[in-house]
Amino acid sequence: MPLLGRNLLSTSDFTSSRSHRTCVYKCGDACSKPVPNTSGNTYFRDIVRREFDRRSLLRGAGTAAVVVGGGSLLAACGDGSSPAASTTASSSRAAGAGTPSAPAGMRFDMVAPNTKDAVTVPAGYSSEVVIRWGDAVVEGAAPWSVDKQTPEGAAKQFGYNCDFGELVPVAGEDNRYLLLASHEYTTPQQMFPGYDTDNPTEDQVLIEIANHGLSVVEVEGNTSDGHLAPVIGRYNRRITGDTEFLVTGPAAGHDLMKTSADPTGTRVRGTLNNCAGSVTPWGTILSGEENVDQYFAGGADAKGKTAQERFARYGMEDAETARKWERFHDRFDIAKEPNEAHRFNWVVEVDPWDPNSTPVKHTALGRFKHEAAAIHVTDDGTIVSYSGDDSRFEYIYKFVSSKKFVDAPADSPRQAAAARRENMKALDEGVLYVAVFEGNSDDFRENTLPEDGAYDGTGRWVKLATCRPDGTAESHVDGMSGEEVLIFTRLAGDKVGATKMDRPEDVQPHPTTGRVYAALTNNQYRGAARPGKDDEPAMEYAPVKENKNGYVLEMDDDHAGEDFTWNLLLVCGDPGAAETYFGGFDASSVSPISCPDNLAFDPRGNLWISTDGNALGSNDGLFAVSLEGATRGLTKQFLTVPFEAETCGPVVTDTRVLVNVQHPGENDEATVENASSHWPDGGTSLARPSTVVVWKNDNGPIGG
Ligand code: FEO
Ligand code: CA
Ligand code: CA
């Protein structure tokens, strides 16, 4: 594993495989900064902590040791046809356990952890790039050349750093699909020849803005393999950091949303840092505006203590941003436009079936670092949206619409369009909630499976605001108006005692069981010994001290109600380590997994997980996890991505797997002239973030 450019800053004590540059440009360097959540929220924590301290005193220190594994993770899995054993495993789980054969959809040879500058897929599978950064999306796009980038050209080409991905069939047209993607952020050092970090040019900034946003691209397949070719079709569209959005929901038009360019507070230029997303049951895209703080300068000097505290809670304190867009655009300077920042960090909705439609920002879903949003529709048509706030010690939210799902016949484009328009209003009316979790094990101790055999417990949803049909919002939070709850949702969560989680990424309901899965990617400050800074101990829902490898949470939610139960499906990491947990499955027979991020489900109901920042020494990858029966918890790696890349946007259909390969070769030294990765084009070429499709060579079902 090359160490060059990995995040080795001694000040950050962050040891995922992410480079510091990735931290700066993807997340605004959040991991090197103080945690913005300084709220108390101590109620459950203190109760459990007191109990824990009391029992620890009674027992002494020598309880419940489980065998800790060792050996090389890079050698833990073979390329062969059967799962290879890791060198050691926890004794309680390995003893007497057989290895049931993998369920349908997971019958492939595990890909071994590796550090190749390549996409590696199982034996008997093939992969190819569908579309690269810079490839044409809309009519008139010039052929991409690193030396001939323009803002106008970039607005017609596939943007940088694809994250969200989806593949949706076009009704009535065989082998024609919409490929949907977001473009989360830009890395100028790897985009522009001779880029001067201290002095970006105005043109470079405009090109970066155009490389943000989303793409809708028609792709054509065939019947013999998984190949997908992009075409300039009637649905193709680029949405950028400059496309007009309509603000909807109760915060639309509020004084805190008004700017000099938009005195109505209802029209916003662009969307930024669009991370993951989903496709709604009515066919639109939901996309989360995530680490938006990195684009706005000067929050610490905002007018008044209240404003300063609000910006601080959203991580917007830097006097100058790394990107320096504020030098050319007043809207990114909080001193000049104090409300522009309030117009980001929302969930946006785009109708990909109408290229002329105005996309919207839904204020009823709250404002925070949305990883994404994903919908479950109950049997009675109630629409429920789940969303995580991806920062250390942030919260999980849901929104229960007061409007019912409007269905439409699949063969009537006109009725489908009318239903889409109606359903797009559903996320403006209803109740916004935040989650509180509690473990059920009196014997919980950090890094140790409780004696009831599961990390599990109960939870409840706490009301934050009710968004009424008349466009107003009722607050359920003392000292905040309904609109303030929506614009400063993090602060509302603090006040009601929401539970601090370990970076909630995707929160996705299963399409058939309705159970809700959440990726909690990592949080090295959990239980860390950092006097005066982080006093959040390990808890049953976040059981690992200095959590480097993350968890996958499973919730059985009363979707429209206020109660749920939960358990940790996976405690990720070295399968040989005591604290890891694979749904009760024999840990000697699974792939090591680290830093779960995006979630998807295959047609057989298995969960697929892409990772970001593998802390076990391998490149990131894509994993399938069985959720049912004797194989529940079986985890198998399906692919790995090139080094210094993140695996994003997984899509698993009957015969294809798609992933977005984000930030290949991104490290602190990489430039256009000194590229680290040369994926996908090889030789001395520049690394280009791209969408990749994988298929089985016999064109059979993925995973048998
Ligand atoms: Fe953009 Fe939470 O990852
Ligand atoms: Ca328990
Ligand atoms: Ca993510």
Side-chain angles (χ1 to χ4, degrees), residues 234-297:
R234 66 186 187 282
Y235 296 116
N236 285 25
R237 183 178 191 184
R238 269 306 316 283
I239 286 171
T240 74
D242 213 20
T243 302
E244 184 174 78
F245 278 70
L246 178 66
V247 184
T248 64
H254 191 274
D255 282 350
L256 287 162
M257 298 290 282
K258 294 174 180 171
T259 66
S260 54
D262 172 33
T264 71
T266 60
R267 300 272 170 176
V268 180
R269 276 174 65 188
T271 186
L272 293 171
N273 214 262
N274 298 77
C275 193
S278 68
V279 171
T280 62
W282 48 95
T284 60
I285 305 167
L286 295 180
S287 168
E289 296 183 324
E290 195 189 29
N291 294 294
V292 163
D293 49 307
Q294 62 181 290
Y295 304 91
F296 293 91

Side-chain angles (χ1 to χ4, degrees), residues 409-438:
D411 58 356
S412 170
R414 190 181 56 78
Q415 290 182 63
R420 270 198 312 282
R421 283 194 294 275
E422 197 57 31
N423 286 318
M424 283 182 76
K425 299 173 190 168
L427 300 182
D428 296 330
E429 296 176 26
V431 182
L432 179 65
Y433 295 91
V434 69
V436 171
F437 291 78
E438 188 174 14

Side-chain angles (χ1 to χ4, degrees), residues 108-168:
F108 54 81
D109 297 350
M110 289 197 288
V111 167
N114 66 76
T115 57
K116 297 174 185 170
D117 191 21
V119 170
T120 304
V121 298
Y125 287 75
S126 297
S127 70
E128 69 177 18
V129 168
V130 179
I131 189 166
R132 295 160 170 76
W133 164 50
D135 286 349
V137 170
V138 295
E139 197 73 51
W144 179 82
S145 163
V146 72
D147 298 314
K148 293 181 182 163
Q149 299 179 68
T150 64
E152 299 74 25
K156 295 178 178 174
Q157 297 166 335
F158 199 63
Y160 205 75
N161 272 343
C162 39
D163 193 302
F164 161 68
E166 192 52 86
L167 189 70
V168 185

Side-chain angles (χ1 to χ4, degrees), residues 111 353 355 620:
V111 167
W353 305 102
D620 276 312

